[in-house]
Amino acid sequence: MSKLVTIYGGSGFVGRHVARRMAKLGWRVRVAVRRPNEALFVKAYGAVGQVEPVVCNIRDDASVRSVMLGADAVVNCVGTFDAKGKNSFEAIQHQGAERIARIAAEQGVAHMVQLSAIGADTDSASAYARSKAQGEEAVLKHMPGAVILRPSVIFGPEDSFFNRFAGMSRMGPVLPLVGAETKFQPVYVDDVAHAAVLGATGEAAPGVYELGGPEVATFRALIGQMLTVIRRRRAVVNLPFGLASVMGSVFETLAGLSGGIIPAQITRDQVASLKSDNVVSAGARGFAELGITPTSLEAVLPDYLWRFRPSGQYDLIKESAKHMRQG
């Protein structure tokens, strides 16, 4: 265990998969998070002392520097959906990424991986997408040999996409969507982690990679596939962007007045993002160049969405009993 990687946001949805893979390769893994006491589960990814959660605030130079000391590689998985406040798009996805790259260059870190997103563009109507693009530019300014990963919507057991809408499907017969005809190319979380590991170990050539799964489908079609998996019939209704923007404004106001106790179900910035397809660009480097075969939705969704079925884990047993009676 001679090499060390620092993973900022290493206990998050993507970061924990990166940490697990790096540990399996024999690396020492430093998981940099704001609340290490909530990330103790990462210790089980390796031998005793191999994977350690450490406290870090990427808004502070000294904090970022202290957890990077001696690192051979760094991976930045930190992101936010907060447009304002201390942990805003600008503070986390632009300035935070810049800080990590600048300090990595100062310390002579060999490899850096930056987790960005498809749609990152300094001219985007979405502040989220603009901050991702600004973060990319800042990283490449200080670490020109960095690997930038731009995934489409990421799915997996702890995702906030399919789990969210599967949960909403239990609330009534109608499932409202904003941008139902917008296209996505869902990518499996462990495939993204695999790509990050290749970048951290120096096996991936520097540059930008857009990561999408084997299927391109509309938002409506993806929700339909999810409903099939959880065995629920719901009317999928498309909300016009204008109405959704007004709703976003109202939700943001309520969230502000409540101090965040009432979270915004959708924001105006998210509405702006949903106006554009979220798929791999023509000619972009991706999984093929990394030698990774992306995992399909149908191979993974049933493994973690079964709990949203009407009878949960007993749904298949009930179906089997039904077929036996019919036979």
Side-chain angles (χ1 to χ4, degrees), residues 6-323:
T6 298
I7 307 174
Y8 294 89
S11 66
F13 179 39
V14 177
R16 67 183 65 184
H17 287 265
V18 180
R20 184 185 292 113
R21 279 182 169 270
M22 294 299 289
K24 283 184 178 180
L25 290 177
W27 283 58
R28 289 181 294 129
V29 182
R30 198 176 279 159
V31 175
V33 293
R34 286 188 295 169
R35 303 181 185 88
N37 60 305
E38 296 178 7
L40 296 178
F41 62 88
V42 301
K43 288 188 172 187
Y45 294 168
V48 176
Q50 184 183 0
V51 183
E52 287 293 332
V54 292
V55 66
C56 177
N57 182 346
I58 69 166
R59 293 186 286 107
D60 179 75
D61 272 33
S63 184
V64 170
R65 185 175 288 109
S66 66
V67 300
M68 197 186 295
L69 289 173
D72 298 282
V74 297
V75 181
N76 180 26
C77 296
V78 182
T80 182
F81 290 109
D82 294 332
K84 301 177 181 178
K86 291 182 179 179
N87 296 310
S88 64
F89 295 152
E90 174 66 16
I92 300 300
Q93 296 178 167
H94 178 197
Q95 296 175 5
E98 186 276 337
R99 180 171 292 108
I100 291 170
R102 170 169 49 82
I103 293 173
E106 290 174 4
Q107 295 196 6
V109 174
H111 303 291
M112 178 172 178
V113 178
Q114 169 71 13
L115 189 66
S116 186
I118 282 182
D121 184 351
T122 54
D123 296 322
S124 174
S126 163
Y128 175 89
R130 291 196 302 272
S131 68
K132 282 290 191 181
Q134 291 163 348
E136 290 183 7
E137 291 181 353
V139 167
L140 293 175
K141 174 184 176 182
H142 296 287
M143 295 285 287
V147 169
I148 308 289
L149 302 179
R150 293 179 177 175
S152 182
V153 61
I154 304 176
F155 69 92
E158 306 92 7
D159 71 43
S160 58
F161 186 76
F162 288 110
N163 278 301
R164 178 186 180 186
F165 288 100
M168 288 172 60
S169 73
R170 297 190 292 195
M171 298 178 185
V174 177
L175 199 55
L177 301 181
V178 178
E181 304 311 317
T182 299
K183 293 179 180 178
F184 291 88
Q185 194 168 351
V187 57
Y188 183 43
V189 61
D190 197 50
D191 291 339
V192 177
H194 188 179
V197 168
L198 294 178
T201 57
E203 297 174 73
V208 178
Y209 295 84
E210 297 197 356
L211 307 180
E215 303 153 281
V216 174
T218 64
F219 195 177
R220 184 192 300 276
L222 291 174
I223 296 303
Q225 189 170 350
M226 176 210 75
L227 289 171
T228 298
V229 170
I230 64 174
R231 292 169 170 77
R232 292 182 185 271
R233 299 184 63 172
R234 296 291 182 265
V236 178
V237 177
N238 183 38
L239 297 180
F241 287 118
L243 174 60
S245 185
V246 172
M247 292 172 61
S249 180
V250 172
F251 281 132
E252 289 173 39
T253 300
L254 289 173
L257 293 174
S258 68
I261 295 176
I262 304 175
Q265 297 303 308
I266 192 165
T267 66
R268 286 170 293 177
D269 197 73
Q270 289 171 338
V271 173
S273 295
L274 286 165
K275 292 180 181 179
S276 302
D277 290 339
N278 196 270
V279 299
V280 173
S281 305
R285 287 190 296 176
F287 281 129
E289 286 73 16
L290 294 169
I292 299 172
T293 301
T295 307
S296 68
L297 274 171
E298 62 181 6
V300 178
L301 285 188
D303 289 343
Y304 68 95
L305 291 183
W306 55 263
R307 63 193 181 93
F308 295 101
R309 292 171 180 168
S311 301
Q313 67 195 75
Y314 302 107
D315 213 66
L316 291 177
I317 297 175
K318 290 177 68 176
E319 284 186 9
S320 297
K322 181 180 178 181
H323 293 321

